[in-house]
Each structure stands twice: as structure tokens, then as C-alpha cells.
């Protein structure tokens, strides 16, 4: 395995963004640079740019997240963007959803080590979670899949009138254009592309915002949602 480069010191912007949780952000960066590389969660070449490209790039997503809402980070991987978001936003209830055991093990260790009481780690695939996790206000994702496929996994997990925030690159507008038909079938009523992180990251972080109406997932998931609700009610009666 290629040896990881040394983690550079945290930039001044990180102190401003993470505030009181700056020491925990540094600890998380150290964990990613060490255990994260050894366990194959991030590539060794990412270590020199961990702060700008990963931690800060994800932390500024908080600019787009409303106050006090529930969030599900789909395909959380090494905890990006979920962990940086949790560090800057203690007001959020965050679920880190990840199917691979080695990743959920790492995430659980990080959550406990950093004292993130408002974060829960769940092992599973997003498409299997309907009825197993409470619907959330916001779904987040980063580098998980093309937008049309990502929306098929993430949108059904939303509450009515919720939104999915996907961190994307330069092709965000193009990807959004190509996914419009699929998004419409999933009950999406509004889409937009945001740029966040002014004065913190350069280039700015690009976020695709996908907002749903009263039927997250559209017609295809309406029956599944109703069935999941019935099963949940019958369990509670027992």
C-alpha cells in the first residue's frame, strides 16, 4: 500500500468554521490520515488536502441546512459530509447511513471518540431503509452516485417537503439537467444549484438541492410507504 503523506496543519479557516469543536475536527483529521488510510477509507494521496478538499468542503454544507432538523447522510463512507456537519451543527439530529461494516465500525469509533451525542450510525443500504428509519427533513450525500441514481436512494427517505443536498463537482448543472425526468417521477418539485463556503473554500462547494412535495419518492414509493407505516403501527400495538 502507498504510504500516506503527512497531515498538514489546520488552516486558519478551520478554526473559524469549527469554533469550539476545532480540537475535535483536528482529531477527526488525524483519524482519517491514519486509520482512515490504513483501513482503505480514503486514499493516501488525499491526506495533504484533507482540510480544504474534505473537512472544510463538507463543513460549509451547513450553510444550506435549516436549523434543528433531522439529517440522513447517505453512503457516509468515512463520515463525509456527516461528521464535519455534526461538528459545526450540534442542533441537528444526524444519521450516518453506510452499508459496509468496516466503514460503520470506523464511524462508530469516531462518533464515540468525538462525543457526538446527536449522531447515530446505521448499517444498511438506503433503498432498504424505508420504514426502518424515521423519515428525515434533509438527506445529504457526497460522491456516492450519479444524481438520478442517488435521488432514487435518498429521496424516499425524506419527510414530505424535505430536501436532498448533494455535494457535486463542476458537472452539477449538467447532471441535474440529465436527471430531471427521473427526479420528477420521484416527487421532486424544485431543484437548484448552490455555491457555499464563501471566504472558506476555493473553489466554492457546489451543492445540488432537490426539494420534494407531499409524496417523497413519488407514486412508486407511496404504496411502500403506506405499508411500512401499517407495519410500524402494528408493532407499536404489540
Amino acid at each position: 500500500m502507498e504510504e500516506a503523506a503527512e497531515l498538514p496543519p489546520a488552516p486558519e479557516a478551520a478554526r473559524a468554521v469549527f469554533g469550539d469543536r476545532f480540537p475535535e475536527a483536528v482529531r477527526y483529521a488525524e483519524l482519517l490520515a491514519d486509520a482512515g488510510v490504513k483501513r482503505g477509507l480514503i486514499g493516501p494521496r488525499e491526506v495533504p488536502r484533507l482540510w480544504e478538499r474534505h473537512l472544510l468542503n463538507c463543513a460549509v454544507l451547513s450553510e444550506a441546512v435549516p436549523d434543528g432538523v433531522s439529517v440522513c447522510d447517505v453512503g457516509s463512507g468515512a463520515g463525509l459530509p456527516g461528521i464535519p456537519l455534526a461538528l459545526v451543527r450540534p442542533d441537528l439530529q444526524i444519521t450516518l447511513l453506510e452499508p459496509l461494516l468496516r466503514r460503520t465500525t470506523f464511524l462508530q469509533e469516531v462518533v464515540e471518540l468525538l462525543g457526538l451525542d446527536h449522531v447515530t450510525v446505521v448499517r444498511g443500504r438506503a433503498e432498504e431503509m424505508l420504514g426502518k428509519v424515521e423519515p428525515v427533513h434533509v438527506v445529504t450525500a457526497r460522491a456516492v452516485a450519479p444524481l438520478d441514481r442517488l435521488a432514487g436512494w435518498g429521496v424516499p427517505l425524506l419527510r414530505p417537503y424535505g430536501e436532498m443536498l448533494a455535494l457535486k463537482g463542476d458537472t452539477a448543472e449538467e447532471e441535474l439537467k440529465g436527471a430531471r425526468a427521473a427526479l420528477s417521477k420521484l416527487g421532486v418539485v424544485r431543484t437548484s444549484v448552490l455555491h457555499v463556503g464563501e471566504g472558506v473554500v476555493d473553489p466554492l462547494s457546489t451543492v445540488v438541492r432537490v426539494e420534494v412535495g407531499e409524496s417523497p419518492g413519488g407514486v412508486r414509493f407511496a404504496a411502500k410507504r403506506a405499508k411500512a407505516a401499517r407495519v410500524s403501527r402494528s408493532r407499536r400495538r404489540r
Side-chain angles (χ1 to χ4, degrees), residues 53 103 161 203:
R53 187 185 170 98
R103 292 178 181 169
Y161 307 104

Side-chain angles (χ1 to χ4, degrees), residues 25 28 30 50 59 69 135 141 185 225:
Y28 177 50
E30 291 169 348
L50 262 179
V69 297
K185 287 178 184 172
R225 196 179 296 280

Side-chain angles (χ1 to χ4, degrees), residues 57 60-64 165-173 192-201 203-209:
N57 180 272
V60 296
L61 180 63
S62 66
E63 293 175 25
L165 299 171
L167 277 161
K168 289 286 181 181
D170 298 337
T171 59
E173 295 274 8
S192 53
V193 175
L194 316 174
H195 299 284
V196 294
E198 184 75 51
V200 178
V201 289
L204 299 178
S205 297
T206 302
V207 182
V208 174
R209 173 181 266 152

Side-chain angles (χ1 to χ4, degrees), residues 1-59:
M1 187 181 72
E2 187 180 344
E3 195 171 321
E6 193 175 333
L7 177 70
E12 276 307 308
R15 292 182 181 275
V17 169
F18 289 104
D20 292 346
R21 302 309 296 264
F22 174 70
E24 286 86 352
V26 171
R27 188 73 188 101
Y28 177 50
E30 291 169 348
L31 287 165
L32 286 175
D34 184 9
V37 172
K38 287 175 183 171
R39 299 190 199 180
L41 302 179
I42 67 159
R45 292 182 186 180
E46 295 303 310
V47 173
R49 50 188 187 179
L50 262 179
W51 282 105
E52 283 82 1
R53 187 185 170 98
H54 297 287
L55 274 77
L56 289 172
N57 180 272
C58 289

